[in-house]
Amino acid sequence: MPRICLLVGRNGSLTPSEAVAAARESAEPVLLIDRVEAAGLPGLVEVATGLAETHVVDTSDPRSVSALVDKCGAAAVATFVDAYCPLVDDVTGLLFGRTGAPNRWGKDTQRELLAAAGVSAITGCVASTLAELAAAVRRCGFPLVAKPVRGVSSRDAWLLRTPTDQARFVAAVSFGSAEAFVVEPYIDGPSDHTRGSHRADYLSAELFVGGGELSGFLTDRPPLAEPLRETGIIGPSTVDGATEQAVWRTAHAAHRALGLGSGAFHIEIKLTDGDPEVIEVNGRLGGYVRRVAQLGTGADVGVAAIRAALDRPPGLELRWQRQVAAMLLQPPVGAVVAAGVPRRQDLRLLPGVISVEQVVPAGTRCDWRAGTSAAAATLWLAAPNDQELAVAMCECAAWLVDAFDFHDANGRPVRDDGWVDRLSASTGAPSGKGASW
Amino acid sequence: MAELWAEILDLDDIEPDDDFIEIGGHSLLALDVLRAVHARTGVAVPLGAFFDNATPRGLVSLISERAGAR
């Protein structure tokens, strides 16, 4: 059985234990942990060591990592952690001679490559000075998105609609003194929101490439929480056949444009009045995707991801038995603390809820700029069909907004009823406001 | 076992077939569970074996197997 080196960490779309379980069918896993992360979280090394052969590495030094991977005799190296995708590229290039477009995981370079290949109509730019930002605003116009070039999970992702937003952004991030931002136009959705019976704000394509085969599946994404934070995932996608084909054409074209080879990729795509538009391409399986597929089909798509990383046919066969969703409750933009939170056992009783993955303790500090990963609660729902799931999601959303007590910096309650309304409008289900059980 | 899990996961009620991950557990908390199990029973359960059937019932079964094998 071949060996595969897996770069693991705290924030991956598969945990170390899930990655090892997925790898066992096809290969002997060897876990690599960054030394800085290991020092900050000693339990991580203990967990990894309990699962498989583990090495602590310096991920800032691709040559040393390559040497270790070579010494391990691994046939491939892969990761489920965004931050390590560039390192996987470097090691793969050094050891196996497979290279693609350099720096393709940087948001700026990625957008350039997609635009140059005609895959994306969006052109953005990098701004690290006020003058560059002003030029970007003139070029892109409002509304526009500003996000860190190396950002992940919507950390510090801003939606600027007006010059006032722009000024607020500049002040808040101390613009010009720290990291550079990619600035690009905000992608509008289709003017007809029910186009293609689509219930979502945007979609994600999980693309598996290996052994000469391409396969994958789509999931829907409900409306974001202000400004650009994810609120969940729904599987399987409800998009109609023609739209699905268009989405896959775009996803495959993005794969080619970035010079991606074998592996599993997460491609976020927005439907527009024209061709589907790429939001972002990630070099690993999407967050929550594995569990959505497992709950909905019983299959572990991590297995397909590992096969793809080994350049073998992914063997992806999904038979959806039910509609599944993860719901993330994001604190309102003005919130600084979750002053009051419901009991976990009450969340488990909500319509459609099959699992409560996490709920923050009362008193947890909130900061929207921390991005998607700072959700106050994560619930898993299931239903026999998408209509029933939509109703359950809307009822849950309304209940969550009522049950959580977020406060702003002045101690005043803040809530985001707009999220409930957007979810209802997107899914076509009643908003759930006023319901009680 | 359910009481131990409830204590570590800070939950009020645990069912025998509750999946550890699905009720909010993760790898690091799993280590806490296995350390507590070892401290109370003297039986060491590997992390990988735990995740193959991560329920209170499954863990009790693992402990019994390993205790009987000694």
Side-chain angles (χ1 to χ4, degrees), chain A residues 93-106:
Chain A
L94 284 168
L95 276 186
F96 308 115
R98 293 197 296 270
T99 58
N103 196 33
R104 56 192 171 190
W105 306 120

Side-chain angles (χ1 to χ4, degrees), chain A residues 46 291 344-345 355 357, chain B residues 11-12 22-24 31 35:
Chain A
E46 189 177 355
R291 193 153 186 222
R344 178 185 282 266
Q345 47 266 52
S355 170
E357 180 168 311
Chain B
L11 298 174
D12 287 339
E22 289 194 6
I23 59 174
L31 286 180
R35 280 195 206 102

Side-chain angles (χ1 to χ4, degrees), chain A residues 369-409:
Chain A
R369 292 174 60 185
T372 296
S373 59
T378 304
L379 311 180
W380 288 90
L381 292 80
N385 55 64
D386 63 303
Q387 292 96 332
E388 291 185 46
L389 183 70
V391 170
M393 288 180 71
C394 287
E395 290 181 350
C396 282
W399 192 93
L400 289 169
V401 169
D402 281 343
F404 275 78
D405 186 20
F406 294 105
H407 289 180
D408 64 13

Side-chain angles (χ1 to χ4, degrees), chain B residues 8-26:
Chain B
I8 289 175
L9 292 169
D10 193 24
L11 298 174
D12 287 339
D13 56 345
I14 302 286
E15 299 296 323
D17 295 308
D18 276 342
D19 180 89
F20 188 73
I21 300 298
E22 289 194 6
I23 59 174
H26 53 72

Side-chain angles (χ1 to χ4, degrees), chain A residues 125-134 136 149 169 175-176 179-183:
Chain A
C125 51
V126 174
S128 54
T129 68
L130 289 176
E132 288 173 345
L133 178 62
V149 172
F169 161 70
F175 193 80
E179 57 189 331
F181 281 74
V182 166
V183 180

Side-chain angles (χ1 to χ4, degrees), chain A residues 126-196:
Chain A
V126 174
S128 54
T129 68
L130 289 176
E132 288 173 345
L133 178 62
V137 172
R138 283 194 299 274
R139 179 182 173 188
C140 301
F142 295 114
L144 54 84
V145 172
K147 49 189 176 181
V149 172
R150 301 284 175 201
V152 296
S153 300
S154 300
R155 175 185 64 81
D156 238 348
W158 292 71
L159 179 58
L160 310 182
R161 296 188 178 93
T162 64
T164 303
D165 288 345
Q166 178 184 348
R168 193 173 293 131
F169 161 70
V170 166
V173 305
S174 300
F175 193 80
S177 63
E179 57 189 331
F181 281 74
V182 166
V183 180
E184 58 188 33
Y186 174 75
I187 306 172
D188 270 326
S191 47
D192 176 8
H193 201 81
T194 60
R195 174 180 168 173

